[in-house]
Amino acid sequence: EPEVTQTPSHQVTQMGQEVILRCVPISNHLYFYWYRQILGQKVEFLVSFYNNEISEKSEIFDDQFSVERPDGSNFTLKIRSTKLEDSAMYFCASQPITDFNIQYFGAGTRLSVL
Amino acid sequence: AQRVTQPEKLLSVFKGAPVELKCNYSYSGSPELFWYVQYSRQRLQLLLRHISRESIKGFTADLNKGETSFHLKKPFAQEEDSAMYYCAFRGSTLGRLYFGRGTQLTVWP
């Protein structure tokens, strides 16, 4: 069964550094999402992406964040200058345009900012 | 404000006992409701959606618009049901999901 793939599974970085989290959505899906979950808190929406542009973003998704689909398969989330409070599990999700249009989640990338 | 409330952070039952995981939502429109499950060290996966009106792994959930609830129920819990359960909704087909904080269900032998 096709899956959303996220790499790396764990990323450790120093405060102020840039990080890029990578996602490979399921191949025939056209809608992509990033969510994050700070330890002990809810899963929170960051951004959705369709047709090479942002469809919706939350108040969390400020100028430090950006998303890109650099080729036909990858979907990336970049954090320009990481802060301690960016430490969280980041989930990518993708969704097809079919009758069964649900979001399928990746296993997540745990980001630790030191 | 859009919100999902799962009042129980932890829930423990014995095998064979009934289980009910509570979920209430706050949304002004007509949301689409979901239950996602996360087994240990696995990804979030869809368990149920209200429009399907189906039973998955013995679980059912009924949308009660009057009480704005979507509680998850199973008459006889199994040990393999132990997992984190998240209630979520979205306001449109392509929209963001709003998640509750999750309920960790433990089923004891």
Side-chain angles (χ1 to χ4, degrees):
Chain A
E1 186 177 331
E3 289 183 337
V4 176
T5 304
Q6 289 187 245
T7 55
S9 57
H10 190 193
Q11 173 87 48
V12 181
T13 189
Q14 295 289 326
M15 189 170 58
Q17 294 296 305
E18 175 184 286
V19 293
I20 297 176
L21 309 182
R22 301 182 192 281
C23 170
V24 179
I26 296 173
S27 64
N28 62 341
H29 290 190
L30 296 178
Y31 297 91
F32 314 114
Y33 306 81
W34 283 102
Y35 294 83
R36 78 172 187 191
Q37 186 178 30
I38 295 171
L39 189 63
Q41 297 187 24
K42 295 183 180 186
V43 176
E44 302 172 292
F45 168 79
L46 292 176
V47 66
S48 59
F49 191 85
Y50 169 69
N51 201 25
N52 284 319
E53 59 183 32
I54 290 173
S55 305
E56 185 183 4
K57 60 183 180 179
S58 72
E59 58 280 359
I60 302 169
F61 194 87
D62 61 22
D63 292 344
Q64 292 299 312
F65 291 88
S66 63
V67 289
E68 195 177 33
R69 189 157 162 83
D71 52 42
S73 59
N74 289 285
F75 178 51
T76 62
L77 174 69
K78 182 193 290 186
I79 309 175
R80 262 182 214 92
S81 177
T82 50
K83 306 182 187 73
L84 294 176
E85 54 265 37
D86 293 327
S87 295
M89 186 71 117
Y90 287 80
F91 295 105
C92 174
S94 69
Q95 178 172 310
I97 310 177
T98 65
D99 290 337
F100 199 67
N101 49 4
I102 64 163
Q103 293 179 28
Y104 294 81
F105 282 80
T109 292
R110 177 161 299 285
L111 177 64
S112 299
V113 183
L114 306 179
Chain B
Q2 296 90 343
R3 188 171 60 245
V4 178
T5 302
Q6 293 181 251
E8 304 120 340
K9 194 173 180 181
L10 302 170
L11 185 62
S12 294
V13 299
F14 285 101
K15 177 182 171 183
V19 63
E20 181 179 45
L21 290 83
K22 291 185 167 50
C23 171
N24 287 88
Y25 65 91
S26 174
Y27 183 68
S28 56
S30 295
E32 188 176 358
L33 274 294
F34 302 88
W35 277 98
Y36 277 83
V37 61
Q38 188 174 31
Y39 300 103
S40 180
R41 296 192 182 87
Q42 294 187 26
R43 67 191 62 213
L44 278 164
Q45 53 187 281
L46 180 71
L47 180 64
L48 284 177
R49 59 195 304 206
H50 88 271
I51 64 173
S52 299
R53 303 183 70 83
E54 56 194 343
S55 173
I56 303 293
K57 299 184 180 183
F59 285 98
T60 59
D62 291 316
L63 176 60
N64 185 321
K65 291 185 179 179
E67 296 181 359
T68 59
S69 68
F70 189 56
H71 303 325
L72 183 68
K73 300 177 186 179
K74 185 169 182 176
F76 308 103
Q78 302 300 313
E79 289 177 68
E80 55 266 29
D81 296 329
S82 296
M84 183 69 110
Y85 291 81
Y86 293 96
C87 182
F89 81 84
R90 65 185 178 191
S92 63
T93 302
L94 302 173
R96 65 168 77 176
L97 285 169
Y98 294 87
F99 283 89
R101 66 174 180 172
T103 297
Q104 178 68 49
L105 173 65
T106 302
V107 181
W108 300 105

